[in-house]
Amino acid sequence: MAKKVTKIGVLTSGGDAPGMNAAVRAVVRTGIYYGLEVFGIMRGYTGMVENDIIPMHSRSVANIIQRGGTILKTARCKEFLQKEGRQKAYNNLKALGIDGLVIIGGDGSFRGADVFSREFDIPCIGIPGTIDKDIAGTDFTIGFDTAVNTAVESIDKIRDTADAHDRLFIIEVMGRDAGYIALHSGIATGAEHILIPERKTDMEELIHSLQEKERRKKLVNMVVVAEGDEFGGGEHVSALIKERLPNIDTRLCILGHIQRGGAPTCLDRLIASRMGYSAVECLLEGRHNVMVGILNNRMQYTLLEKAVKSKQKISDEWMKIVKILAS
């Protein structure tokens, strides 16, 4: 029978994502509701290794649900990759009596949690917090909806300028390994082409299509490129187009870290609150090493090991929609 959890720690790890604060708030207040002591671990796994761990109370998370970023800060921790670093982290947790962890982050954070939990038999529950939406076992990850809406708002403004000047804009959005932000924002803003890491980029086809649109006098075109596109991101795509199509007025716009910040949308606040609540319930039920997700509006529990090995797949249907709607 699983040992009863009495003290839990919560941390945010990896890249920040809007809605992380809402998840922290939900974990803290749900834990307190069930009579648990809750600790906030600062700067991700770095705080575990360096013993930067603070008690959390209901008032500790007041007035944060609407804030982007994370009040617990976040960092990547090389020391935690080594057994000695994880041992140090465990000793710090043990000294405080912490016997359960909630990790809010992406696949790298979950890998660390999975290894740590197996080594020291501490139950770890993952909450998917990443703007990339690249984790299997959930329809949405915390931060994706906010990031994609930020991208849409920016691209809409760029289109106004493109229309006023008859320009081609190459717009780079975030997505080093996943093209969901590019795909969703591109479709939502009527982009003519969307380049993503999951699909091989046929530059000859892109050039031919732009030549055809130039011939038809379709002078306002937008190409949305994920930063991790195998051709090399916005700068490389823009340089090639300028070289091959010198008559087209081409501009490059890299949206960058603006996509990571800002107040979370209603959807991100809701799923973060629901996932934070469910993570604490998982610990109370004695679950080990699972990620809480939401599939078809129902809670879904996926083993951390499986969540990091399986990536979300972009279906061929989405790419067909892009092609048809942009013609």
Side-chain angles (χ1 to χ4, degrees):
M1 187 172 166
K3 186 164 59 99
K4 184 168 166 46
V5 171
T6 58
K7 298 182 181 182
I8 65 172
V10 57
L11 62 91
T12 52
S13 174
D16 62 302
M20 280 184 163
N21 280 327
V24 170
R25 174 180 178 270
V27 169
V28 170
R29 291 196 170 169
T30 304
I32 290 169
Y33 175 84
Y34 283 115
L36 305 177
E37 285 186 56
V38 185
F39 294 83
I41 301 168
M42 303 301 294
R43 297 173 292 121
Y45 293 121
T46 302
M48 275 172 65
V49 173
E50 297 180 359
N51 202 26
D52 192 359
I53 302 171
I54 58 173
M56 301 287 280
H57 309 286
S58 186
R59 301 312 301 165
S60 306
V61 292
N63 200 33
I64 67 168
I65 195 169
Q66 78 282 11
R67 289 166 56 185
T70 161
I71 63 164
L72 295 179
K73 310 294 184 186
T74 182
R76 302 183 196 280
C77 181
K78 289 183 179 175
E79 199 173 347
F80 195 77
L81 297 173
Q82 309 302 320
K83 178 72 185 279
E84 298 78 17
R86 294 193 295 274
Q87 181 68 56
K88 201 187 293 186
Y90 174 71
N91 293 342
N92 291 332
L93 296 182
K94 193 174 180 184
L96 289 167
I98 294 172
D99 47 16
L101 288 174
V102 177
I103 293 92
I104 306 164
D107 55 358
S109 307
F110 292 168
R111 273 192 205 95
D114 194 42
V115 171
F116 183 73
S117 182
R118 292 175 193 280
E119 283 179 344
F120 299 105
D121 195 31
I122 284 191
C124 291
I125 306 299
I127 296 178
T130 166
I131 65 170
D132 289 330
K133 200 174 91 78
D134 59 347
I135 294 174
T138 186
D139 287 332
F140 286 95
T141 57
I142 295 168
F144 171 75
D145 189 62
T146 306
V148 83
N149 273 287
T150 298
V152 165
E153 186 180 347
S154 300
I155 296 169
D156 280 345
K157 291 175 179 177
I158 291 167
R159 183 177 276 282
D160 290 344
T161 293
D163 185 48
H165 294 273
D166 289 340
R167 282 176 179 159
L168 163 64
F169 266 90
I170 314 298
I171 302 157
E172 182 185 286
V173 298
M174 281 187 155
R176 192 174 62 232
D177 302 308
Y180 281 98
I181 293 175
L183 179 70
H184 285 232
S185 64
I187 290 174
T189 56
E192 279 67 31
H193 297 277
I194 301 170
L195 310 183
I196 58 176
E198 292 88 343
R199 291 291 187 276
K200 186 170 175 58
T201 299
D202 187 337
M203 287 305 298
E204 290 305 316
E205 183 184 330
L206 175 62
I207 295 293
H208 176 74
S209 173
L210 291 172
Q211 284 173 329
E212 178 62 22
K213 287 180 170 67
E214 185 183 24
R215 188 184 62 77
R216 285 164 37 199
K217 302 296 185 201
K218 189 180 191 304
L219 301 175
V220 179
N221 290 291
M222 292 197 305
V223 179
V224 176
V225 186
E227 63 180 313
D229 176 66
E230 51 96 25
F231 193 76
E235 286 190 14
H236 288 82
V237 172
S238 176
L240 183 78
I241 290 173
K242 285 178 179 179
E243 180 188 321
R244 295 283 298 275
L245 302 171
N247 294 331
I248 295 180
D249 190 2
T250 304
R251 293 287 192 277
L252 169 66
C253 185
I254 298 174
L255 296 187
H257 282 77
I258 189 174
Q259 296 156 90
R260 286 255 284 265
T265 60
C266 177
L267 178 63
D268 274 330
R269 299 182 201 195
L270 287 174
I271 64 171
S273 299
R274 193 173 174 190
M275 288 175 177
Y277 160 81
S278 295
V280 176
E281 293 255 304
C282 280
L283 288 173
L284 292 170
E285 290 165 5
R287 292 182 192 262
H288 267 61
N289 293 33
V290 298
M291 180 198 81
V292 295
I294 300 172
L295 278 177
N296 300 320
N297 205 30
R298 297 171 69 89
M299 295 312 301
Q300 175 80 13
Y301 306 102
T302 306
L303 288 173
L304 287 177
E305 184 182 25
K306 187 177 177 186
V308 300
K309 283 182 180 173
S310 307
K311 293 288 185 183
Q312 285 262 35
K313 302 286 193 298
I314 289 180
S315 70
D316 291 333
E317 185 182 24
W318 275 119
M319 304 316 295
K320 186 178 179 183
I321 289 169
V322 172
K323 193 169 185 178
I324 291 172
L325 299 188
S327 59

